[in-house]
Amino acid sequence: MKMQHTIKDTIGFSGIGLHTGCDVNVRLIPSGEDTGITFLRKDIPGSPAIRAVASNVVATSYATTIGAKGVTVSTIEHLMAALYGLGVDNAVVELDGPEVPVMDGSASHFIEAIEGVGLRAQASPRRHLVIKRPIKVEDRDKYVLFLPSEEAEFTIDYSIDFSHPMLNKQTFTGLFSTDVFKEEIAGARTFGFLRDIETLKANGLAKGGSLNNAIVIGDSDILNEDGLRYPDEFVRHKVLDLMGDISLIGAPVIGHLIAHRSGHSLNHRLVQEILRKPARWDFTDTFAEEKDVALKSTIFMDGSVPV
Ligand SMILES: [Zn+2]
C-alpha cells in the first residue's frame, strides 16, 4: 500500500511574482495526513488559509489563481506541479504576498528545495483517483480528454500548435512518473511572445517577467541568449502547467490524458468535470461505500458539494 507523504522539514525561498512583480517570501511547512496542500497569506491579519482544490479556483487567465473570502494566491501551478510530481500529498505553503514567486520560470528550484529536505511517509494510505470512463472538455479545436489507462498508470499525450514558426507543432508523449517529471518536465520554462508583452503589461500582467524567468519569443527567434533547455521546451512547459492544474483534483490520478492546445481554463474545466461526474472514476484502496465519505472529506474539505 502506498502511503501519504509530507516534506521532512521546512523550506524557505524568495523571489518575484511573474504577474504582480511583488517580492514574496515563501515557507513550505510539513503538515498532517489528509490535510492536502494549503496556502496561508501571512501578510494579511489572521493569516487566511486557502486550500489548493479546484473549488477554490477564482481565475485561470495566464495563470491559475485560488482564493477564499476575497483573499487570493496566484500563479500556483508550477509549485503545485512540483508537489504533485514528487508525490507530496500534504504541506502548508506560507507566503507574505499575493503570488508564488516564478523563480526561473520552471519548477526546478522547487524540486531542488524539496529534494534537499526529502519526504516523510505518513500513517494514512495514499488514495488515487482512477478514471473508469472517458471524460472530455473542449473549446472549439482545443480539448482535453481523460481515458481509462490499460496499464493502471498516468500517461500523457499533449500537443500544441501555435501559429508561429518557432512552435507550430510540438508533442509530448509518455508515462508521468516522478523520474520523468524531474528529468523531462520540471526544467521547462514558461514562455511568452514579444508581440504580446506590451498588451500583458498594459493589463497589469507580466510585471515581474524578464529573460531571467521566461522564454521570450520574437518573430523568428527567441530573445534568451542561452537558448532553450530542450528543443521542445514549450510543450514540456504546457505539460508542467497541466500537472499543476490537475493536482487541484486533490488526489493523484490514474488514466490516459490526451490534450490538444489546452491552457489553464480548459485544464480547470476538465478537473471540474471530473469532480462533477464521480460515476466515471473510482478511488483505489477504497471500498465503494466509502467513496461518498472520501469525496466529501478529501476533495471537498472546503465545504462544497459535488453537483
Ligand atoms: Zn506555466
Side-chain angles (χ1 to χ4, degrees):
M1 186 186 291
K2 288 184 179 151
M3 307 311 285
Q4 294 180 25
H5 286 77
T6 186
I7 47 177
K8 265 191 191 151
D9 206 351
T10 297
I11 300 162
F13 55 91
S14 306
I16 193 170
L18 177 65
H19 291 298
T20 59
C22 293
D23 284 312
V24 180
N25 300 298
V26 180
R27 289 203 314 153
L28 284 185
I29 305 166
S31 73
E33 52 221 45
D34 296 316
T35 56
I37 309 298
T38 302
F39 287 75
L40 283 187
R41 282 284 302 271
K42 289 294 280 183
D43 54 318
I44 292 178
S47 302
I50 311 164
R51 194 167 143 92
V53 287
S55 52
N56 283 336
V57 170
V58 294
T60 53
S61 60
Y62 298 104
T64 296
T65 302
I66 51 169
K69 295 177 184 151
V71 176
T72 60
V73 178
S74 62
T75 320
I76 63 165
E77 59 270 20
H78 305 159
L79 176 58
M80 288 302 297
L83 294 167
Y84 185 92
L86 292 182
V88 179
D89 302 286
N90 306 301
V92 169
V93 185
E94 193 185 87
L95 62 177
D96 65 357
E99 185 175 14
V100 175
V102 66
M103 312 312 287
D104 70 347
S106 78
S108 290
H109 184 85
F110 306 135
I111 299 290
E112 275 170 34
I114 294 167
E115 292 207 308
V117 296
L119 304 191
R120 177 165 61 77
Q122 297 176 289
S124 292
R126 189 163 210 230
R127 186 185 291 124
H128 288 74
L129 188 150
V130 186
I131 302 293
K132 297 288 187 189
R133 289 167 52 204
I135 301 177
K136 185 179 186 183
V137 292
E138 55 197 318
D139 174 15
R140 286 160 296 182
D141 64 327
K142 304 173 181 179
Y143 63 86
V144 200
L145 166 66
F146 232 140
L147 297 170
S149 159
E150 286 170 16
E151 289 83 27
E153 290 168 334
F154 185 10
T155 47
I156 301 172
D157 277 318
Y158 198 117
S159 54
I160 57 173
D161 189 358
F162 286 86
S163 54
H164 188 283
M166 289 287 299
L167 63 171
N168 48 2
K169 270 201 175 69
Q170 291 188 354
T171 58
F172 181 88
T173 301
L175 172 70
F176 187 83
S177 65
T178 299
D179 285 345
V180 170
F181 175 72
K182 284 195 297 188
E183 285 157 28
E184 311 285 341
I185 304 295
R189 291 163 295 170
T190 194
F191 58 92
F193 296 95
L194 186 61
R195 65 188 182 210
D196 295 338
I197 287 178
E198 284 314 311
T199 316
L200 281 168
K201 293 201 172 181
N203 287 308
L205 292 163
K207 285 181 188 163
S210 74
L211 290 168
N212 294 324
N213 56 35
I215 307 166
V216 179
I217 306 160
D219 288 339
S220 58
D221 208 349
I222 62 164
L223 275 59
N224 307 62
E225 279 184 11
D226 293 339
L228 296 173
R229 293 178 178 176
Y230 312 90
D232 56 353
E233 189 166 357
F234 308 107
V235 71
R236 291 172 191 249
H237 187 80
K238 298 296 278 183
V239 174
L240 177 69
D241 281 343
L242 178 64
M243 288 308 104
D245 292 336
I246 287 286
S247 75
L248 299 177
I249 287 176
V253 182
I254 292 172
H256 180 52
L257 185 62
I258 303 168
H260 180 63
R261 302 191 63 218
S262 187
H264 295 301
S265 300
L266 207 54
N267 298 345
H268 177 53
R269 277 183 48 206
L270 176 76
V271 171
Q272 287 179 308
E273 190 72 356
I274 292 168
L275 297 177
R276 261 199 292 267
K277 295 188 171 161
R280 299 198 182 189
W281 50 266
D282 226 329
F283 280 125
T284 50
D285 303 326
T286 309
F287 296 111
E289 62 269 27
E290 289 175 351
K291 189 171 162 184
D292 278 351
V293 178
L295 250 175
K296 290 187 178 104
S297 67
T298 304
I299 296 185
F300 297 93
M301 221 173 158
D302 57 340
S304 66
V305 176
V307 208

